[in-house]
Amino acid sequence: MPLRCGARWDGDDLLLVVRVIPRASADAVLPEADCLKVRVLSPPVDGKANRRLTEVLAEQFAVPRRRVTVERGATGRAKRVRIQAPRKVPAFLLG
């Protein structure tokens, strides 16, 4: 299944390229050409934005939060995220 937004399969897992926007007015996932832009309400302090990022993505892909991990970029806005065996793939990634 071809994917957009810099997403790719790694076996049963899905790898995403994500750009996080902390302190947003609302949580939102916005597809872009080369990555997903994820707006989160939480500030980038003490891992709060990363925690909220994993919650938002877990909801989108219908998995428990523990199956969403930030593999790279924990302290920056650009990140690589692994979603272990997603139960669904949102329409914005299909292309």
Side-chain angles (χ1 to χ4, degrees), residues 4-84:
R4 299 178 353 177
C5 306
R8 68 180 176 87
W9 290 102
D10 182 26
D12 289 338
D13 296 350
L14 187 60
L15 295 175
L16 302 173
V17 177
V18 175
R19 180 157 172 82
V20 178
I21 310 299
R23 290 192 180 116
S25 57
D27 293 329
V29 179
L30 309 165
E32 293 193 344
D34 59 344
C35 69
L36 286 180
K37 186 185 287 185
V38 181
R39 296 176 178 266
V40 295
L41 289 165
S42 301
V45 177
D46 298 328
K48 290 179 183 178
N50 285 341
R51 199 164 24 260
R52 185 64 191 147
L53 169 68
T54 60
E55 291 168 357
V56 168
L57 292 177
E59 220 174 271
Q60 291 286 320
F61 291 89
V63 296
R65 189 174 75 85
R66 69 181 178 274
R67 290 183 22 197
V68 180
T69 55
V70 176
E71 289 193 333
R72 285 196 185 145
T75 60
R77 289 184 183 216
K79 303 179 185 302
R80 185 171 77 182
V81 177
R82 178 178 297 269
I83 300 173
Q84 298 173 5

